Amino acid sequence: MPVIPPMPPPRPSQPPSAPSHQHSSGHHHSHRRTHQHSHSTSTVTTRHVHYADNKLQSNTANGHPSHVSPSNQGHPSLQRAASSQHLQAAMRQPSSGHRQRVHSTGNAVPPRIINVAPSQSHQHIRIHNGHFEYSACTGRKKALLIGINYTGQSRELRGCINDAKSMRRFLTSQWGYHDSDIVMLMDQTTNPRQMPTRKNMIEAMQWLVKDANPHDALFFHYSGHGGQIPDQDGDEVDGFDEVIYPVDYKKAGVIVDDDMHRIMVKPLPRGCRLTAIFDSCHSGTALDLPYIYHSDGRLKGKHISDSARAQKATESDVISFSACRDDQTSADTFQGGVAVGAMSYAFVTALKKKPKQSYQELLRSVREILRENYQQKSQLSSSHPIDTSLQFIL
């Protein structure tokens, strides 16, 4: 496994003064709804994760007390997370409703990491004012798939591990990815190196982008709990950073969007593709990409500051499809009697039905599948302005 560079002290954060989803008690909550499909066996309920066990954790290594648990109140619910089965040879390791986001009620411990980015293939190569280049996706293909069901925890989910397994089959059967170049982290394992802990997730992110080259095709998939914490550096217009929750988040802390961007996006060379799929709550800008699109290809309004947009735009070719807007939750549900995440299911289903689609067509296809039973609205974002009429490739 790659060695993580030393991390700066965790960034303390204050509880939001005006959270977007709040009960009268003032605690943040997450929603996960499942709905019943007429053509599938699925029970749909509104799944809330109740985080009544929030405690003020102390980071003894840095001497900073931190809240690291998200809080949720209300109806019982599940949140999506996929767990991985094995770390592959590349990691030098033997292998052995709605989804809803979670809000942090206190200080989260964000890991600070630097990574090299993954690559993905693209058919069209164009230079935009010499600032970026589309990837041809003709180089090496690598994938990191993370599924966390939080097995045995009070906020346990059901479909996240299934999502990771399904995504692996999808990538290997239809897009030319090889098992030897896919790392999976899931909490359904006895191998400690394969558990989706914060440390393992960070190292796997670093592996994904390590030695990335132009026209490589990298793929990142996360299925699990998601949430928000107060923004500390002023880049978020809504005042909140988006976070994802490792299986050990209560002790180790969450992973913040700023850090995922720093690890997986900034190190990528021009023309290298990273495609990210987030099946979690509040995931609209989970990778902190500066451009978000309507389904007709138009850019959406400003969601980050002007200075942050300039800073987070890249010459690499980074694309993210997320389960919902930052202010929405996502579903942990059932399809054909199998527990799945609504976003993961919709993404794979849309491309299986029609492998050749433009970016905006794919966004519409995913939204149409979700619209049948869910309120969540999938988001498309990028690290540079893209022509959404171009064909989407992995």
Side-chain angles (χ1 to χ4, degrees):
M1 296 270 296
V3 177
I4 303 178
M7 298 184 198
R11 177 180 60 194
S13 59
Q14 301 300 322
S17 58
S20 55
H21 287 77
Q22 204 171 29
H23 289 282
S24 58
S25 62
H27 291 180
H28 296 290
H29 65 283
S30 68
H31 303 266
R32 207 172 261 277
R33 289 192 311 182
T34 53
H35 294 279
Q36 194 165 19
H37 287 257
S38 58
H39 59 280
S40 65
T41 305
S42 70
T43 304
V44 187
T45 59
T46 300
R47 302 174 178 180
H48 286 251
V49 182
H50 188 167
Y51 294 91
D53 57 347
N54 291 343
K55 296 179 180 179
L56 181 65
Q57 303 287 341
S58 177
N59 187 321
T60 56
N62 296 289
H64 297 294
S66 302
H67 282 290
V68 294
S69 300
S71 82
N72 291 293
Q73 292 201 349
H75 314 300
S77 70
L78 294 180
Q79 287 191 347
R80 290 297 317 283
S83 54
S84 77
Q85 301 172 333
H86 59 280
L87 288 177
Q88 297 299 345
M91 300 289 285
R92 306 301 181 194
Q93 195 56 31
S95 3
S96 350
H98 288 274
R99 290 191 185 185
Q100 299 170 333
R101 73 182 171 185
V102 183
H103 287 282
S104 171
T105 52
N107 299 340
V109 182
R112 296 292 188 183
I113 313 143
I114 298 176
N115 269 13
V116 189
S119 60
Q120 291 213 357
S121 53
H122 203 290
Q123 294 174 342
H124 305 272
I125 306 174
R126 300 181 184 179
I127 305 296
H128 178 75
N129 297 328
H131 293 155
F132 72 84
E133 181 176 357
Y134 288 108
S135 174
C137 295
T138 52
R140 184 178 181 184
K141 294 177 180 285
K142 296 170 66 178
L144 168 59
L145 313 178
I146 302 172
I148 314 175
N149 279 352
Y150 307 89
T151 304
Q153 299 188 36
S154 59
R155 57 209 51 83
E156 184 173 350
L157 300 175
R158 298 177 181 177
C160 301
I161 291 174
N162 290 337
D163 288 341
K165 294 177 179 178
S166 174
M167 197 64 72
R168 179 178 61 181
R169 291 192 297 268
F170 171 70
L171 293 175
T172 55
S173 65
Q174 293 193 239
W175 292 95
Y177 286 73
H178 300 291
D179 281 330
S180 59
D181 291 319
I182 298 176
V183 165
M184 298 183 70
L185 299 179
M186 303 183 295
D187 55 348
Q188 187 184 64
T189 180
T190 57
N191 188 335
R193 296 295 295 278
Q194 300 169 0
M195 285 293 291
T197 62
R198 189 186 73 169
K199 179 177 184 293
N200 286 347
M201 287 170 64
I202 290 169
E203 289 183 345
M205 290 177 189
Q206 292 173 329
W207 164 82
L208 180 62
V209 300
K210 188 179 189 321
D211 299 325
N213 292 303
H215 307 302
D216 282 349
L218 308 181
F219 187 88
F220 173 83
H221 173 242
Y222 171 79
S223 179
H225 283 308
Q228 293 181 312
I229 63 172
D231 172 35
Q232 296 295 303
D233 59 9
D235 63 331
E236 303 278 358
V237 171
D238 65 359
F240 294 98
D241 278 325
E242 284 62 52
V243 300
I244 60 176
Y245 288 82
V247 69
D248 62 343
Y249 72 88
K250 292 180 183 178
K251 295 181 179 179
V254 299
I255 301 179
V256 183
D257 54 4
D258 294 320
D259 299 309
M260 285 189 282
H261 185 94
R262 191 175 296 111
I263 296 167
M264 293 191 289
V265 177
K266 293 304 285 187
L268 292 177
R270 176 183 295 187
C272 177
R273 166 66 88 81
L274 168 63
T275 300
I277 308 296
F278 286 90
D279 197 347
S280 55
C281 297
H282 311 306
S283 56
T285 61
L287 201 55
D288 254 7
L289 301 181
Y291 301 96
I292 300 181
Y293 301 86
H294 292 283
S295 58
D296 61 1
R298 291 180 299 115
L299 280 171
K300 287 191 172 183
K302 186 167 63 175
H303 62 282
I304 60 175
S305 65
D306 292 335
S307 60
R309 172 170 288 191
Q311 181 183 20
K312 295 193 174 182
T314 71
E315 296 182 346
S316 57
D317 191 22
V318 184
I319 301 296
S320 176
F321 281 91
S322 56
C324 56
R325 299 193 310 258
D326 284 342
D327 63 349
Q328 289 183 318
T329 60
S330 61
D332 193 59
T333 185
F334 289 84
Q335 287 290 337
V338 177
V340 297
M343 175 60 191
S344 298
Y345 170 81
F347 181 81
V348 170
T349 299
L351 284 172
K352 280 185 175 180
K353 289 182 178 179
K354 187 179 179 183
K356 293 185 178 182
Q357 301 188 55
S358 68
Y359 290 98
Q360 58 186 265
E361 287 174 334
L362 179 56
L363 179 60
R364 287 196 296 265
S365 297
V366 170
R367 285 183 174 181
E368 286 171 3
I369 293 172
L370 292 173
R371 189 180 299 119
E372 294 178 9
N373 295 283
Y374 312 103
Q375 294 180 351
Q376 66 192 76
K377 199 168 185 179
S378 180
Q379 303 294 299
L380 166 64
S381 59
S382 67
S383 62
H384 60 75
I386 61 173
D387 179 353
T388 59
S389 67
L390 295 178
Q391 183 177 324
F392 172 81
I393 60 174
L394 289 174

